[in-house]
Amino acid sequence: MSAKKLFIQTLGCAMNVRDSEHMIAELTQKENYSLTQDIKEADLILINTCSVREKPVHKLFSEVGGFEKIKKKNAKIGVCGCTASHLGNEIFRRAPYVDFVLGARNISKITQAINTPKFISIDIDYDESEFAFADFRNSIYKSYINISIGCDKHCTYCIVPHTRGDEISIPFEIIYNEAIKAVKKGAKEIFLLGQNVNNYGKRFRNNHKKMDFSDLLEELSTIEGLERIRFTSPHPLHMDDKFLEVFSKNPKICKSMHMPLQSGSTEILKAMKRGYTKEWYLNRALKLRELCPNVSISTDIIVAFPGESEKDFEDTMDVLEKIRFEQMFSFKYSKRPLTKAATMSNQIDSEIASQRLSILQNRHNEILDEIVEKQNNKEFEVLFEELRPNHSIAGRTDNNFLVQVEHSEELLGQIKKVKIKNAKRMVLYGELV
């Protein structure tokens, strides 16, 4: 019996990438599917959606409409992920040709979904924390591993708790065994995933050994053959001294920290229900710079959150000047359904929001140019994992700079020392030492 063809499009974050890998594994190993990049030959078309901002939600319906026009006869279309969780049956109403809807907390039901007409499962309380997924990875050299699902924070701008449910940690034994399996198959790096990874261990489904995130990092670092550990996203509120010390001193933990700021204003942070102040954030970030001078710090920033004054925005700019982020993801506030901020009366004018975003991004680009210039003539250890055009190959430094050299694919999966010759914003170009 010939394999059926699966086409999958993944939108959004690394969590969605891993969810897609889980669904691919279940379908290839239990339902005789094989992946295709040609949507016209697919027997099953999946779109794994994101709902963090408004734009990806609009994109969903234009995308599935396009799929319907070009798919072959009898091919099924499934909508999965966060938008599926919060729109549910509305997806069938707006796109009646969709065959099933599978929420972000229900992806273990993918084989049931494809075999049940108009299947829908969007329960955000469904517990997949101990489900044994089949195994599939997009990269041999890097392995994404979920350590928790859901989120308890209920930030007033964020829809995630309404699409992924309450936070629950995945048992250490499952994480450890998944890491061992990945390393045996060639992975040099594992990437730990959760909405708030450094809140790990607060709640398990059953009784399990008490362990916090710092303990988890230390245990995983004992795995022989594992060279690098990354993770996203930690929450500034849970960055205690123990966590910063373990991060800084453990040589297997990559020196790249994502610290979502969201706003530099204590008043706005309170309105966002973030749980920390400007002073706490600065204290943690500057302590991290002190403990780990080679660290790169990335962040997320929302401008023009309801009620944001010029003074509040100046506080955000002040944090930018003090921390000088190596990477920044910044956006205008976007109303999301089911969130408290969407109903706040003090919404900011779109033109003001655009002006503030432009000021923030322009200043960060200036800072980034200064940071990038300092990388020239430096030497880095690079894990090569991506072939590029013109006989080039690329990989990441320990502190997450993207580095490209001219070389052949024999470097894939290897860690080599590189000297930077031409540093650009997006890529550092170098030569093997």
Side-chain angles (χ1 to χ4, degrees), residues 107-382:
I107 58 168
S108 61
K109 300 176 184 176
I110 183 63
T111 57
Q112 184 183 353
I114 65 169
N115 293 307
T116 307
K118 291 297 177 181
F119 182 86
I120 180 168
S121 184
I122 55 172
D123 180 6
I124 61 171
D125 293 325
Y126 187 68
D127 185 2
E128 295 183 321
S129 64
E130 296 186 18
F131 183 84
F133 285 98
D135 190 51
F136 173 86
R137 310 206 176 263
N138 287 305
S139 170
I140 301 170
Y141 317 111
K142 178 169 67 178
S143 175
Y144 287 110
I145 299 176
N146 292 105
I147 68 166
S148 64
I149 55 177
C151 180
D152 288 345
K153 289 292 183 277
H154 293 279
C155 300
T156 56
Y157 56 82
C158 185
I159 195 173
V160 168
H162 302 283
T163 63
R164 289 188 175 268
D166 289 339
E167 183 178 301
I168 187 165
S169 296
I170 293 170
F172 167 71
E173 295 78 13
I174 293 176
I175 297 167
Y176 188 83
N177 290 337
E178 198 171 336
I180 290 280
K181 189 190 303 181
V183 170
K184 285 181 176 177
K185 289 185 176 181
K188 298 290 180 68
E189 175 180 303
I190 59 172
F191 206 126
L192 307 178
L193 301 175
Q195 300 300 141
N196 301 294
V197 287
N198 54 339
N199 198 40
Y200 178 81
K202 293 294 191 298
R203 186 191 303 123
F204 292 103
R205 173 181 174 182
N206 294 305
N207 290 326
H208 291 281
K209 182 172 79 169
K210 187 172 177 58
M211 174 179 287
D212 64 17
F213 185 59
S214 300
D215 298 331
L216 176 66
L217 291 173
E218 295 278 54
E219 290 282 352
L220 291 174
S221 70
T222 66
I223 295 174
E224 192 172 340
L226 176 62
E227 309 235 10
R228 291 181 168 186
I229 301 171
R230 296 189 193 274
F231 52 82
T232 197
S233 288
H235 195 292
L237 184 62
H238 305 302
M239 291 186 172
D240 57 20
D241 287 349
K242 177 184 176 182
F243 171 59
L244 296 185
E245 290 280 350
V246 168
F247 174 87
S248 302
K249 292 180 180 178
N250 190 313
K252 286 193 177 182
I253 299 173
C254 290
K255 301 307 181 257
S256 170
M257 182 76 83
H258 189 62
M259 291 184 67
L261 171 65
Q262 307 305 0
S263 173
S265 161
T266 295
E267 286 301 309
I268 295 298
L269 288 169
K270 184 177 180 181
M272 288 178 165
K273 202 180 172 186
R274 289 293 288 168
Y276 54 87
T277 62
K278 173 186 179 181
E279 289 71 27
W280 170 260
Y281 186 97
L282 285 172
N283 175 277
R284 297 292 85 187
L286 293 172
K287 184 175 180 67
L288 181 59
R289 292 274 194 216
E290 178 187 336
L291 289 172
C292 191
N294 62 325
V295 70
S296 66
I297 302 178
S298 57
T299 199
D300 302 325
I301 293 177
I302 297 169
V303 300
F305 182 83
E308 183 187 73
S309 66
E310 282 297 327
K311 172 63 169 62
D312 294 323
F313 178 64
E314 286 169 12
D315 280 339
T316 297
M317 294 298 294
D318 183 53
V319 176
L320 174 63
E321 295 296 337
K322 286 183 167 69
I323 307 303
R324 297 175 62 83
F325 302 103
E326 279 77 7
Q327 191 173 22
M328 181 182 77
F329 304 93
S330 53
F331 309 93
K332 292 190 290 185
Y333 166 72
S334 175
K335 278 188 183 181
R336 307 308 301 122
L338 309 176
T339 64
K340 288 185 178 180
T343 62
M344 291 179 178
S345 60
N346 49 356
Q347 303 289 324
I348 304 298
D349 180 78
S350 178
E351 187 174 333
I352 292 173
S354 295
Q355 290 172 352
R356 289 178 184 172
L357 184 63
S358 179
I359 291 167
L360 177 73
Q361 292 178 339
N362 288 340
R363 178 57 189 139
H364 182 253
N365 282 335
E366 292 172 354
I367 290 170
L368 190 55
D369 285 340
E370 294 168 14
I371 291 170
V372 166
E373 177 62 31
K374 291 179 181 177
Q375 308 315 310
N376 280 311
N377 298 313
K378 282 188 178 180
E379 293 184 357
F380 293 100
E381 297 280 338
V382 178

Side-chain angles (χ1 to χ4, degrees), residues 372 375-380 382 397 401-405 418-424 427-431 433:
V372 166
Q375 308 315 310
N376 280 311
N377 298 313
K378 282 188 178 180
E379 293 184 357
F380 293 100
V382 178
T397 66
F401 286 113
L402 181 64
V403 174
Q404 181 172 313
V405 301
V418 175
K419 186 171 185 176
I420 305 306
K421 295 294 186 180
N422 184 16
K424 301 293 185 183
V427 185
L428 309 181
Y429 296 91
E431 294 176 355
V433 175

Side-chain angles (χ1 to χ4, degrees), residues 141 384-394 404-414 416 432:
Y141 317 111
F384 289 102
E385 54 184 318
E386 178 191 353
L387 286 175
R388 294 207 154 191
N390 302 319
H391 309 289
S392 293
I393 189 166
Q404 181 172 313
V405 301
E406 290 185 11
H407 214 280
S408 58
E409 62 184 54
E410 67 200 41
L411 274 187
L412 285 172
Q414 296 189 48
K416 296 288 186 182
L432 294 179

